[in-house]
Amino acid sequence: MGHNNDNHFKSAHAAAPGTGYGHDNDDGANGRSNGKHRNNVGNDEGWLSDFLAHLWNPQLRKAFTKLAWELLPDLLQASSPPWMQSIELTKFNFGKSPPKLSNFNSFKDSAKTDDAMVAIEADISWHSDINVQLRIKPIPKQLTFIPSALTTLVSNMVSFTAGIEKLHVEGRIRITFDPLVDQLPVIGAVKVSFVEQPETVDFEVSVMGGSTLSGLIPSLKAWLVGFARDSLISMYVMPEHWTYRLDPSIKDVSVPAGMLEIDILEAHHIPKGDYLSDSNPYIEMFMRASQKRRTTIQPEGKEATWNESFKLPVHIPETQKLELILYDHDNIGSDDELGRIKVAIRDLKDGELQDLWLDFDNPKEEIKQDQRSQQHDAVAGAMKRVKAREAEKKTACKVHIKLKYHSMNKEEMNAIAEAQEKGDMDLLYKHPRLKSIAGQGVITIKLNSVDRLVHPAWWRGGHKHV
């Protein structure tokens, strides 16, 4: 913690390399650092944590609790794993312990002549006495072919309540005032985000039902931590952010600093997603939660060949990571995650093609290790984990990819900003390297109801209205 991100900072209208956000070149006592001013708040920083504590009880705590009740029920159900028929939020209390802020830095972009902005960064540490309860109705994936009425009956009989307590989060946040305008209140908008995925997201999970259900805890906790990171926190990791506009006319324009070309070629030693058959694999890729791409679904087997190409915009190459997640497609129920890989963009040389074979992490093996650690003493558990890792390396699922990162020049970034502000992506076709961006949009469709659906088989239970 406490890392200094002076050379990681990009504004919404990103400056060209060397014009404000390169490596620091201090020029003396005035604190100017290659086009931006930096100030360390130092010993006086405690007042802001005290201020946050006063706001937390009860105003902020109540506001965040209300937001949680609005967001979590639908997100939990939409993200539930294959073995859950339903998951219901029955209790949510953030607790009275507020987050604590420390190690402040302030930034000012002095290289820009218009739409200036300033920002504050701080480490955030939160030990919360959170109290959450979830009502879970499980159903084994192998039972999905059984009539709906029977699966519902079985699920109701084995439903249980899970509790979440003692939340611990460690990360770094940024509060950006962007843009600054020449009339009161001066600040056009406030943006809040995590600089990167928090280093620590942890909590205790309990299952009400005695020792008979304790074996579910490792799998349940692994899913809940993944849900917290992938479905909640990722929505606010830079360049994603929460925005509050003081000036309603301000547009939230996000200009990429570069483009990543991705070739997904093949994968070997693909594990099974369930016990019944080999996987139907596909790969999902993203650097920010709002911009995801995926390959086609390949036939069952332990090998897969795609030879598919993608492009993703890169907004903050110093901190963003390409994430690849391998899934097993399931016609009934949610898809199983088979593994994931992260590649830091800062490790890729600008304009240089990287031909890579990478190993997927196996989430199921991590759960098994957690279960072993609960059943054996520390020494025996550690020895078994070492042997398991050695065996896994020999048969690890591998993917063959090619990556190439291109940084953008100032003219290209200005063109993207103009196209977004005017809402006219056709402007990008004037620039050869920007044509692909015009087709990078995402359309989200929400269906509130559907009438006159065709009945499925009688044993699955028909529905005319959704």
Side-chain angles (χ1 to χ4, degrees):
M1 298 308 300
H3 52 281
N4 189 323
N5 281 287
D6 291 357
N7 62 332
H8 294 171
F9 186 61
K10 299 281 184 179
S11 67
H13 300 277
T19 62
Y21 295 109
H23 294 287
D24 289 352
N25 293 312
D26 296 339
D27 66 354
N30 62 4
R32 181 166 299 187
S33 186
N34 195 24
K36 60 183 183 295
H37 294 287
R38 175 172 61 90
N39 293 307
N40 293 318
V41 177
N43 295 329
D44 295 330
E45 61 190 25
W47 71 268
L48 192 52
S49 284
D50 292 340
F51 177 70
L52 180 61
H54 293 315
L55 284 179
W56 184 258
N57 290 308
Q59 285 78 12
L60 274 178
R61 179 163 50 90
K62 288 184 177 179
F64 281 124
T65 299
K66 180 181 178 182
L67 181 63
W69 278 105
E70 292 174 353
L71 293 178
L72 286 178
D74 289 342
L75 279 176
L76 284 166
Q77 189 61 43
S79 305
S80 60
W83 56 271
M84 284 187 196
Q85 185 183 75
S86 67
I87 178 169
E88 180 186 1
L89 181 67
T90 58
K91 184 178 182 179
F92 191 96
N93 188 337
F94 261 125
K96 295 184 178 181
S97 301
K100 295 183 179 179
L101 303 179
S102 62
N103 193 27
F104 289 84
N105 281 334
S106 63
F107 304 89
K108 178 181 180 181
D109 179 8
S110 58
K112 297 167 63 177
T113 58
D114 57 359
D115 289 345
M117 47 77 64
V118 295
I120 297 172
E121 276 191 13
D123 291 341
I124 181 170
S125 178
W126 192 16
H127 291 266
S128 171
D129 50 342
I130 194 171
N131 188 353
V132 178
Q133 289 187 4
L134 304 168
R135 189 65 179 170
I136 297 172
K137 294 182 179 180
I139 174 171
K141 192 172 181 180
Q142 290 84 348
L143 298 180
T144 51
F145 57 86
I146 294 177
S148 296
L150 183 56
T151 57
T152 300
L153 177 62
V154 172
S155 187
N156 287 335
M157 292 175 62
V158 296
S159 64
F160 63 92
T161 297
I164 299 174
E165 297 177 313
K166 298 182 180 179
L167 174 66
H168 178 204
V169 177
E170 299 281 346
R172 190 159 179 84
I173 63 170
R174 176 174 295 168
I175 304 172
T176 306
F177 306 96
D178 179 22
L180 302 180
V181 296
D182 56 0
Q183 60 184 12
L184 293 176
V186 180
I187 299 171
V190 179
K191 302 174 184 179
V192 182
S193 59
F194 283 98
V195 175
E196 297 181 89
Q197 267 281 351
E199 294 181 6
T200 301
V201 178
D202 195 21
F203 42 78
E204 292 185 2
V205 176
S206 60
V207 175
M208 301 176 191
S211 58
T212 56
L213 295 176
S214 62
L216 292 173
I217 292 177
S219 297
L220 181 59
K221 181 176 179 179
W223 173 73
L224 286 170
V225 171
F227 169 79
R229 286 189 176 276
D230 296 342
S231 298
L232 296 177
I233 297 174
S234 63
M235 295 190 295
Y236 304 105
V237 175
M238 291 175 56
E240 309 287 4
H241 52 264
W242 174 85
T243 301
Y244 180 77
R245 294 180 179 85
L246 282 79
D247 182 348
S249 66
I250 297 296
K251 293 184 178 180
D252 191 4
V253 176
S254 183
V255 179
M259 183 69 67
L260 182 65
E261 298 179 4
I262 308 164
D263 293 331
I264 306 293
L265 304 177
E266 57 187 319
H268 296 169
H269 306 300
I270 299 172
K272 290 184 177 182
D274 53 58
Y275 299 107
L276 299 179
S277 61
D278 287 331
S279 297
N280 295 101
Y282 69 91
I283 293 177
E284 182 180 76
M285 68 209 77
F286 59 93
M287 281 181 288
R288 53 190 300 184
S290 61
Q291 297 178 347
K292 295 184 178 182
R293 306 288 182 269
R294 57 180 283 182
T295 66
T296 56
I297 300 168
Q298 295 300 301
E300 286 185 6
K302 297 187 178 299
E303 318 287 329
T305 302
W306 286 281
N307 292 322
E308 297 176 22
S309 299
F310 306 86
K311 291 183 179 180
L312 285 173
V314 180
H315 291 78
I316 311 174
E318 295 85 359
T319 61
Q320 280 187 280
K321 296 177 182 179
L322 171 67
E323 190 156 354
L324 304 173
I325 306 179
L326 179 66
Y327 285 101
D328 170 27
H329 174 69
D330 200 329
N331 290 321
I332 302 175
S334 303
D335 296 342
D336 291 309
E337 179 182 332
L338 304 177
R340 63 175 65 198
I341 296 169
K342 293 182 180 180
V343 180
I345 304 303
R346 61 175 173 264
D347 294 336
L348 304 177
K349 293 183 178 180
D350 193 352
E352 184 175 308
L353 181 66
Q354 303 286 323
D355 193 330
L356 305 170
W357 278 94
L358 302 174
D359 291 350
F360 279 106
D361 292 331
N362 188 340
K364 292 185 178 180
E365 182 58 33
E366 294 177 5
I367 294 172
K368 290 179 182 178
Q369 290 175 10
D370 288 341
Q371 292 171 330
R372 293 189 197 106
S373 66
Q374 293 183 1
Q375 298 169 358
H376 303 281
D377 62 79
V379 175
M383 293 178 63
K384 288 197 172 186
R385 285 194 292 272
V386 170
K387 292 181 180 179
R389 290 192 188 100
E390 291 176 351
E392 185 182 359
K393 286 181 180 178
K394 298 178 182 179
T395 59
C397 179
K398 301 178 182 292
V399 64
H400 186 196
I401 63 174
K402 292 182 179 180
L403 302 176
K404 191 173 185 179
Y405 171 71
H406 297 279
S407 60
M408 292 185 180
N409 57 44
K410 189 173 183 178
E411 179 185 359
E412 291 170 332
M413 287 191 284
N414 288 339
I416 295 172
E418 180 185 7
Q420 290 191 65
E421 290 171 351
K422 294 182 178 180
D424 185 4
M425 292 296 107
D426 288 340
L427 295 173
L428 300 182
Y429 286 98
K430 299 177 182 178
H431 300 264
R433 286 208 305 170
L434 302 183
K435 291 181 179 179
S436 60
I437 297 180
Q440 294 294 317
V442 177
I443 297 176
T444 301
I445 301 174
K446 180 178 180 180
L447 298 179
N448 293 320
S449 65
V450 180
D451 292 310
R452 298 182 182 178
L453 291 177
V454 176
H455 279 274
W458 64 269
W459 47 267
R460 287 298 299 169
H463 297 279
K464 285 187 176 181
H465 183 80
V466 178

